[in-house]
């Protein structure tokens, strides 16, 4: 049965025809419809008003959140302190000079005393580190800096002076004794806001793991009782061979960090106290593994997590 011409025309009317593409110039501005980019002036006004209101509200919300955030935080005082902080309540011990960038996996001090080029990198690093401790960085003329002692802690709002002139041969003028094959390193406790050390100030209750020479130093009758409020420091070889090769060790200006530098409260001008450690006669051409520890009742010592101690390798080449 054949279709009539009328029914064929009706079926053809239902087939959608592909619209002709609109020229780009006409899309930009269509004078017939009065549109710009496909929208009339009224449509642009509506969408513009919506986005103005939306972004104004969004900016106001962000500004309000920032105001609340900044209003509840003190720029000097952390919200979470000591036990509640991520850092915890046991400071780490760090040393200078730090390892070279290409040897960050292991801290080494390896050089030849008669070759200035071989140790200049270490002395330059110490110069840079101690620059903030020189008179231009912290001056006793500054009203914030106080000349402290065990009997005279800093007044409120002031900090204790760190006098690098007390470091004996471990000075810039003396090349930190590197040229004499008796290198100095500097130890410091990492800062934890509000942390106060609990001292080993009783010679009858010293830990068994403490080196015997440090125990004897604390028990010495020449050490005054009030100076026992110190975070003690020890350095020794890790193994028996290391201890035999390390030689005599001297600490400047004293064998630890005085208690009057604590607690750290982020006061302007505060500098961490330092202990300069000088290795007087280490054996030549020997890899000496050194371990330095900080001693207080509330300092945890852990080799794996590196709490309360620092380890490095010392080698003086002949």
């Amino acid at each position: 049965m054949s279709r009539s011409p009328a029914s064929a025309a009706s079926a053809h009317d239902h087939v959608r025809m592909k619209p002709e593409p609109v020229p780009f110039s006409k899309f930009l501005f269509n004078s017939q419809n009065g549109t710009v980019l496909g929208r009339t002036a009224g449509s642009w006004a509506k969408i513009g008003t919506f986005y103005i209101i939306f972004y104004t509200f969004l900016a106001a919300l962000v500004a309000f959140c920032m105001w609340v955030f900044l209003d509840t935080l003190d720029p000097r005082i952390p919200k979470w302190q000591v036990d509640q902080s991520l850092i915890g309540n046991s400071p780490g011990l760090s040393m200078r000079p730090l390892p070279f960038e290409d040897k960050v996996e292991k801290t080494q001090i390896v050089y030849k005393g008669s070759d200035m080029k071989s140790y200049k990198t270490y002395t330059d690093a110490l110069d840079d580190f101690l620059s903030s401790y020189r008179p231009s960085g912290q001056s006793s003329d500054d009203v914030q800096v106080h000349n402290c002692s065990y009997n005279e802690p800093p007044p409120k709002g002031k900090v204790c002076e760190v006098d690098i002139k007390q470091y004996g041969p471990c000075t810039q003028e003396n090349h930190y004794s590197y040229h004499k094959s008796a290198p100095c390193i500097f130890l410091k406790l990492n800062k934890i806001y509000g942390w106060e050390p609990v001292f080993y100030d009783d010679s009858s209750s010293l830990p068994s793991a403490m080196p015997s020479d440090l125990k004897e130093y604390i028990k010495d009758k020449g050490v005054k009782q009030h100076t026992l409020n110190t975070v003690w420091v020890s350095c020794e070889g890790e193994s028996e061979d290391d201890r035999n090769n390390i030689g005599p060790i001297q600490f400047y200006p004293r064998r630890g960090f005085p208690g009057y530098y604590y607690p750290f409260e982020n006061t302007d001008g505060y500098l961490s106290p330092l202990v300069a450690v000088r290795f007087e006669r280490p054996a030549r051409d020997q890899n000496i593994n050194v371990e330095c520890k900080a001693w207080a009742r509330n300092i945890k010592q852990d080799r794996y997590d590196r709490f309360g101690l620092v380890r490095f390798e010392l080698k003086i080449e002949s």
Side-chain angles (χ1 to χ4, degrees), residues 19-312:
E20 294 183 3
V22 179
F24 183 70
S25 59
K26 195 172 184 179
F27 171 72
L28 289 177
F29 176 69
N30 190 324
S31 58
Q32 293 179 348
N33 300 331
T35 62
V36 176
L37 299 178
R39 290 182 179 274
T40 63
S43 176
W44 278 117
K46 291 178 182 178
I47 194 170
T49 302
F50 167 79
Y51 278 111
I52 289 173
I53 295 174
F54 173 75
Y55 283 114
T56 300
F57 174 79
L58 187 62
L61 179 63
V62 172
F64 175 75
C65 291
M66 288 298 296
W67 175 78
V68 172
F69 176 73
L70 294 175
D71 192 58
T72 56
L73 290 179
D74 191 303
R76 293 182 178 272
I77 304 174
K79 188 176 182 64
W80 309 110
Q81 301 177 21
V82 195
D83 288 339
Q84 297 177 334
S85 69
L86 293 176
I87 299 175
N89 61 353
S90 183
L93 186 68
S94 58
M95 65 164 287
R96 298 293 189 280
L98 292 173
F100 302 142
E101 292 184 0
D102 58 344
K103 296 181 179 180
V104 295
E105 73 281 354
K106 190 171 185 180
T107 304
Q108 294 178 312
I109 298 177
V110 182
Y111 75 96
K112 187 176 182 178
S114 59
D115 182 6
M116 182 179 178
K117 291 183 179 179
S118 71
Y119 65 76
K120 191 176 185 300
T121 304
Y122 299 114
T123 56
D124 286 349
L126 289 177
D127 287 343
D128 183 62
F129 169 67
L130 293 173
S131 61
S132 59
Y133 287 84
R134 304 191 192 287
S136 59
Q138 186 189 49
S139 173
S140 58
D141 295 333
D142 193 329
V143 295
Q144 297 295 326
V145 180
H146 185 72
N147 187 13
C148 305
S149 68
Y150 284 95
N151 294 323
E152 191 176 351
K156 186 67 176 178
K158 293 192 175 184
V159 298
C160 291
E161 180 183 11
V162 181
D163 187 3
I164 60 174
K165 296 178 182 178
Q166 299 180 359
Y167 294 125
C170 299
T171 60
Q172 182 182 32
E173 297 73 21
N174 196 44
H175 304 289
Y176 310 103
S177 211
Y178 276 70
H179 65 302
K180 297 181 180 180
S181 297
C184 296
I185 67 160
F186 287 81
L187 299 177
K188 64 184 287 289
L189 278 179
N190 297 337
K191 292 179 286 191
I192 297 180
Y193 187 93
W195 179 81
E196 294 188 64
V198 180
F199 307 105
Y200 284 114
D201 54 1
D202 183 358
S203 59
S204 63
S205 60
L206 300 177
S208 58
M210 180 180 285
S212 57
D213 65 314
L214 179 55
K215 289 182 181 180
E216 292 301 320
Y217 180 87
I218 297 173
K219 293 177 181 179
D220 189 346
K221 294 181 180 179
V223 178
K224 297 180 180 179
Q225 181 62 36
H226 66 282
T227 64
L228 294 178
N229 291 339
T230 300
V231 178
W232 304 108
V233 165
S234 68
C235 288
E236 61 180 352
E238 290 189 10
S239 68
E240 186 66 28
D241 287 341
D242 294 326
R243 288 187 285 272
N244 291 333
N245 291 327
I246 201 170
I249 301 174
Q250 295 296 328
F251 300 85
Y252 302 93
R254 58 186 63 82
R255 194 160 181 179
F257 309 105
Y260 49 77
Y261 284 97
Y262 305 97
F264 163 67
E265 295 179 331
N266 206 19
T267 307
D268 285 339
Y270 178 89
L271 293 173
S272 297
L274 303 174
V275 172
V277 184
R278 184 176 186 244
F279 300 90
E280 293 189 326
R281 293 188 301 275
R284 298 294 192 272
D285 300 315
Q286 298 293 325
N287 290 319
I288 306 171
N289 297 295
V290 184
E291 184 174 69
C292 295
K293 296 180 179 180
W295 297 90
R297 298 183 190 276
N298 56 342
I299 292 182
K300 178 184 177 182
Q301 294 177 348
D302 189 299
R303 285 186 176 182
Y304 180 77
D305 292 323
R306 298 186 179 181
F307 287 135
L309 58 84
V310 64
R311 304 164 72 186
F312 62 96

